[in-house]
Amino acid sequence: MPPPVDDAVWQNTATAAHSRFVQRVRRRHADELPLLPPGTPDPAAMRALVATLQARGRELGAALRVARQVLIERLAVLDLEQRVPLADVTGVMTDWAEVSLDLALTAAQDELRGRHGTVRNAEGQPVDFWVLGMGKLGARELNVSSDIDLIYVYEEDGDSDGPVPLTAAEYFGRLAKRLYALIGDVTDEGQGFRRDQALRPNGTCGAPAVSLAALETYFLVQGREWERLAWLKSRVVAPRDPDTLRRAEQLRQLVTPFVYRRYLDYSVFEGLRQLHRKIRDEAQRRAAGRPERANDVKLSRGGIREIEFTVQLLQVVRGGQFPEIRTRSTLKALTRLAAAGLMSPDTARALGEAYELLRHIEHRIQYLDDQQTHVLPSDDGDLRWIAQTLGLTCKPQACELMERLLEIRERVAAEFDALLHDGNPRDAAPGGCKNCGGPPPALDSEAFVEQLPERLGQAVRTFGQRPRVQALKEDAKLRLAKLFERAAQAVRRGDCSDEAGERFVDWLEPLLRRDAYLALLAERPRVLTRLLRLLGLARWPMRYLMQHPGVIDELADERLLHERFDPVVFRQELADRHAAWVRSGEDADEEALLDALRRAHHAEVFRTLVRDVEGVITVEQVADDLSLLADALLQTAIDWAWARQVKSGKAHRAAPRFAAIAYGKLGGKELGYGSDLDLVFLFDDDDELALEAYSAFVRKLVPWLTLQTRAGGLFDIDTALRPNGSSGLLVSSLQSFAAYQEGRGSNTAWTWEHQAITRARWCAGDPALQAGFDAVREAVMAAPRQPQALGAEVLAMRDKLRAAHPIRAGRFDLKHSPGGMLDAEFALQALQLTHSATHPGLMANLGVIALLKRAEQEGLLAQGVGQAAADAYRALRRAQHRLRLDEQATHLPEDALDELAAHRDAVRALWAAVFPTTPQP
């Protein structure tokens, strides 16, 4: 909306009557203006207006042209005097275009049908014909004096069945020509709509109308990158009857994969950069000798086109993986891009405000004379009028309109240039020149290597001699050389270490055939700088990035280091993504859903990893976030997979009474990078089909969680802790699980299973099962036990595990050696199973550290023993975590433990306190 101003000032100084076009309409069509009902016109009123004009003796073409003038006169009043929202103005113009096309198409089809009949396919079925609106028409953003970008598509080849038969191509070509005459020809009554078909396949050289098959071939063989942006806004605008629109779904199935690729796609940048360079050059050429043309609010620097390009570029790059950002509307897209973290909220807000103001100015320019122009008028009176309609002033000595326009165009241009830069300095250094010095040395030349820092140069020399590199095309080698030059600059500036530069070279080699990621780094220098820093901090990030290179784009998000994982927001984002797939009809593709889960997981793990190696969060916080992430993904997978069971008729109820129970590291919220998930599946459902239904569901759910897809893996799942282990059912009823765990009947759990349940918890599924599971767990932990017998079984299990992980003499394994983390865990479990009945505070699943402290507080451990063991467990975990991040062994020389020796001894003291009769090995 324009800035608020005093209503009296607005009405007195800025009326529609200043428009010369409005003046002409009021003189010429005074009798027709009252035919339009008061208020904002809707499609029904528009059709009624045309019908009335036809009833008064006008042909359809003339009626459409008169109706357009009446409508725009009304819009001028609504816009300029009543200040209706921008969306109302563009919505009315879009509705009018659709009504005009629908009426004209019906008339043109009737004319052709009388002589040539109806086009039918080989089976005798009528062949559909669709008018596609592109650009602002497709986005419902049509301006008041706009042309309309149209593409005509027919369903398939065939022949007409009339007295003079035609092929489908001939028939629909004539239909397109007649349609243009009805809406596009300039007559004594004026114009309907200027029409532009330059966006059709093969441009102005292409056929007037194309079949679906020809369009598919064009997309696959000839479709250019910039055309993907054009097709992003496409939709069927005529005919508008529901049956035809439903059959047009097959058209969307062609367009969507052309516009939105399933992988991260930065290849479109260069194509758009070249297109925009042509547009700017053309605008500058047209402005040469005519300074007023520099004030083109659409095509000049910082104009409407650059906002649209910015939005569409981000949508095309990421829309394949983030369907929730897909929308034809520029303003809606800005909001969605900000919500998805692909644009800062401040930038989205600023671009949105700039877009609205520029569009308001564009409309006022066009109201003046109904000309398709976007250039500010040179007449001072017209300029002053435009300013006044926006609540601004414009005097010879100072013009608020021009000042505001300059301000927002600079902001738009800055954002656009930042997005579409070419990675090179904009200006030469002082005293130097642009583009001098000739082409850069070849990647595999000594001249190139010698200009790099020594260690980086050695790595690049070896890299450049490899056959895979030698076989690359020259443009690919040039891109690599540019990346290495930037890496060298980062090393020289001290932004990263020499070791990071070497790791960067190693990391690039597996990606040589994956242009999308190399293009990303070339387009996002800040991402490259952050990547280099990350590679220098630890080794494991490089391994993770090799497995999942697509996550590097997360480094562009400014929020990366300042936020923690939020499971509620994460699940909502996935729900929005799923809803977007449902809207687009893509939810039938199960692999796409699996890929979405994996990409979301990889991205969140990477965010946590970056915060971890940067020292922003602790080891405990890493484990918390990774565990919450696993919970959220399990819940989402259950929801999505069950929904598909319902849709396919394989579910016996709308919502499952089913839960996933987490054991082990996930159960204790101590999950690490790459940890598998120990899960037990339960149901509480009396339906006679329950066991069969949930068994089938788990057989579907587990592959959803474990399959390797194009996007990679998700989790390794271990279900061995279920009743009767690998020989038991994949899913158990809550009642049978309780009987097994509590020893009711001949089939009962072992002691090691009771040890495991001390760390178990409900983590996903129906929350109604949580209380039931907790009751079983507490009953197991509070059951009476003979301490000596329990101790013997715990010791036997510890010895079994230690035998499975032999340790060399003179080495200390942080987990398995005496005094390691496993001893602390087993000692705590023995305390819990022995004393929970009398000390219920031990039943809470709080983690090893908190429970060791609690055991001391409740008098089960001597003063200082529990606290020291808790501190030791934390220190051992952190040491293990650091070593794993740098891909180093987690067993150390006994004589080089330093401060870890005291922590080892603290765990041994805990062991001695819990098992006083058992000597330490």
Side-chain angles (χ1 to χ4, degrees), residues 195-374:
R195 188 199 62 167
D196 187 346
Q197 272 198 282
L199 293 177
R200 69 189 186 215
N202 296 304
T204 55
C205 299
V210 295
S211 67
L212 278 177
L215 182 62
E216 181 177 24
T217 300
Y218 179 82
F219 283 161
L220 290 173
V221 178
Q222 293 177 263
R224 290 159 290 183
E225 297 296 345
W226 66 264
E227 289 180 282
R228 294 169 56 198
L229 275 71
W231 281 89
L232 182 154
K233 291 179 177 284
S234 65
R235 65 184 177 92
V236 175
V237 293
R240 298 295 297 169
D241 64 279
D243 288 341
T244 303
L245 290 175
R246 176 178 49 79
R247 292 192 296 273
E249 177 63 29
Q250 55 190 313
L251 178 61
R252 182 169 66 174
Q253 292 172 359
L254 284 185
V255 173
T256 298
F258 173 65
V259 175
Y260 300 110
R261 307 291 163 82
R262 285 190 172 183
Y263 50 83
L264 189 67
D265 182 18
Y266 275 80
S267 59
V268 69
F269 269 74
E270 185 55 37
L272 183 58
R273 185 179 290 125
Q274 294 174 6
L275 173 63
H276 183 259
R277 193 176 295 129
K278 291 179 181 178
I279 292 173
R280 270 196 180 175
D281 290 347
E282 175 63 16
Q284 291 172 358
R285 184 190 65 77
R286 292 168 59 193
R290 300 187 65 183
E292 70 278 5
R293 287 191 174 272
N295 287 319
D296 188 316
V297 297
K298 179 180 179 180
L299 299 180
S300 292
R301 184 173 183 271
I304 296 168
R305 179 61 56 83
E306 293 194 354
I307 299 175
E308 293 171 338
F309 273 3
T310 298
V311 170
Q312 293 166 23
L313 184 57
L314 291 173
Q315 287 181 291
V316 167
V317 169
R318 301 302 296 268
Q321 295 183 6
F322 295 87
E324 64 271 28
I325 68 173
R326 300 178 191 174
T327 177
R328 300 178 184 91
S329 164
T330 301
L331 292 173
K332 288 180 181 177
L334 285 167
T335 301
R336 294 185 184 187
L337 289 168
L342 302 177
M343 179 182 287
S344 76
D346 287 344
T347 298
R349 190 180 311 109
L351 292 182
E353 292 172 356
Y355 180 78
E356 289 211 52
L357 180 59
L358 289 169
R359 290 300 308 272
H360 279 303
I361 295 172
E362 175 187 49
H363 285 163
R364 281 144 180 78
I365 293 170
Q366 294 176 351
Y367 285 135
L368 285 169
D369 295 293
D370 190 29
Q371 295 296 310
Q372 188 189 4
T373 180
H374 316 277

Side-chain angles (χ1 to χ4, degrees), residues 652-663:
H652 66 293
R653 60 169 63 247
R657 300 181 64 179
F658 167 91
I661 307 300
Y663 279 71

Side-chain angles (χ1 to χ4, degrees), residues 115-165:
R115 178 173 174 78
H116 302 292
T118 299
V119 177
R120 299 184 183 276
N121 61 18
E123 288 74 37
Q125 298 298 315
V127 174
D128 277 327
F129 175 82
W130 303 294
V131 180
L132 272 64
M134 311 290 281
K136 287 185 169 60
L137 174 57
R140 295 193 56 82
E141 297 171 340
L142 211 58
N143 59 50
V144 295
S145 189
S146 177
D147 61 358
I148 51 177
D149 297 300
L150 301 178
I151 293 178
Y152 303 122
V153 179
Y154 57 92
E155 191 173 15
E156 57 184 313
D157 287 328
D159 296 288
S160 67
D161 57 4
V164 181

Side-chain angles (χ1 to χ4, degrees), residues 583-611:
R583 288 195 302 271
S584 66
E586 295 176 72
D587 61 316
D589 186 350
E590 185 168 299
E591 187 176 353
L593 300 183
L594 300 187
D595 286 346
L597 292 175
R598 281 148 181 78
R599 283 192 292 264
H601 179 250
H602 300 158
E604 286 297 339
V605 169
F606 182 65
R607 293 185 185 115
T608 300
L609 174 61
V610 173
R611 295 169 193 141

Side-chain angles (χ1 to χ4, degrees), residues 53 134 159 167 211 214 257 362 396 420 426 442 444 464-465 478 528 588 627 649 656 727 787 797 872-873:
L53 291 170
M134 311 290 281
D159 296 288
T167 66
S211 67
E362 175 187 49
L420 210 63
R426 299 193 199 289
D444 49 2
Q465 292 170 353
L478 186 61
L528 177 57
S627 300
S727 62
M797 178 53 64
Y873 189 82

Side-chain angles (χ1 to χ4, degrees), residues 515-808:
D515 288 344
Y517 303 116
L518 300 182
L520 186 157
L521 291 175
E523 297 295 344
R524 309 294 287 270
R526 184 177 300 178
V527 170
L528 177 57
T529 300
R530 291 178 176 174
L531 172 65
L532 288 164
R533 172 174 167 76
L534 182 65
L535 293 175
L537 294 174
R539 290 179 181 273
W540 197 76
M542 182 179 79
R543 190 77 52 208
Y544 192 80
L545 285 164
M546 283 182 172
Q547 295 170 348
H548 312 296
V551 300
I552 57 176
D553 198 37
E554 299 299 326
L555 292 170
D557 192 340
E558 298 292 344
R559 303 170 300 177
L560 184 62
L561 295 178
H562 309 295
E563 296 183 0
R564 290 278 301 280
F565 174 69
D566 186 330
V568 175
V569 172
F570 177 77
R571 285 190 57 206
Q572 185 59 53
E573 288 176 349
L574 283 176
D576 292 345
R577 200 159 302 157
H578 187 264
W581 269 311
V582 171
R583 288 195 302 271
S584 66
E586 295 176 72
D587 61 316
D589 186 350
E590 185 168 299
E591 187 176 353
L593 300 183
L594 300 187
D595 286 346
L597 292 175
R598 281 148 181 78
R599 283 192 292 264
H601 179 250
H602 300 158
E604 286 297 339
V605 169
F606 182 65
R607 293 185 185 115
T608 300
L609 174 61
V610 173
R611 295 169 193 141
D612 181 8
V613 298
E614 289 281 7
V616 176
I617 56 177
T618 66
V619 174
E620 291 79 14
Q621 290 172 321
V622 170
D624 287 344
D625 288 358
L626 292 177
S627 300
L628 287 171
L629 172 59
D631 291 353
L633 276 163
L634 283 168
Q635 186 65 61
T636 300
I638 289 171
D639 292 344
W640 290 5
W642 188 264
R644 294 183 73 82
Q645 294 289 90
V646 171
K647 189 174 182 179
S648 62
K650 298 178 181 177
H652 66 293
R653 60 169 63 247
R657 300 181 64 179
F658 167 91
I661 307 300
Y663 279 71
K665 289 189 177 297
L666 179 59
K669 294 187 177 180
E670 296 179 350
L671 210 61
Y673 303 114
S675 295
D676 60 1
L677 306 187
D678 295 299
L679 296 175
V680 169
F681 299 111
L682 302 178
F683 68 91
D684 187 16
D685 191 336
D686 295 332
D687 192 289
E688 61 182 12
L689 299 175
L691 178 59
E692 180 183 350
Y694 292 118
S695 296
F697 178 60
V698 171
R699 286 195 295 271
K700 181 181 185 68
L701 179 64
V702 170
W704 268 49
L705 299 170
T706 58
L707 277 176
Q708 287 281 334
T709 72
R710 289 176 300 183
L714 191 56
F715 297 113
D716 289 326
I717 303 294
D718 189 343
T719 59
L721 289 171
R722 67 185 187 268
N724 298 305
S726 57
S727 62
L729 297 172
L730 274 175
V731 61
S732 303
S733 70
L734 184 60
Q735 294 78 7
S736 65
F737 178 78
Y740 178 81
Q741 291 290 345
E742 295 171 18
R744 290 185 265 118
S746 58
N747 185 27
T748 63
W750 296 83
T751 298
W752 65 266
E753 292 176 277
H754 290 169
Q755 286 181 251
I757 208 172
T758 63
R759 305 181 73 186
R761 63 181 177 86
W762 175 95
C763 70
D766 184 357
L769 272 73
Q770 183 172 358
F773 169 75
D774 287 346
V776 174
R777 177 178 175 273
E778 290 171 7
V780 169
M781 294 180 69
R785 291 178 175 83
Q786 207 288 323
Q788 289 184 340
L790 174 66
E793 292 193 56
V794 171
L795 287 170
M797 178 53 64
R798 187 199 68 169
D799 291 341
K800 183 177 180 180
L801 288 175
R802 187 165 291 153
H805 297 85
I807 303 158
R808 286 185 294 151

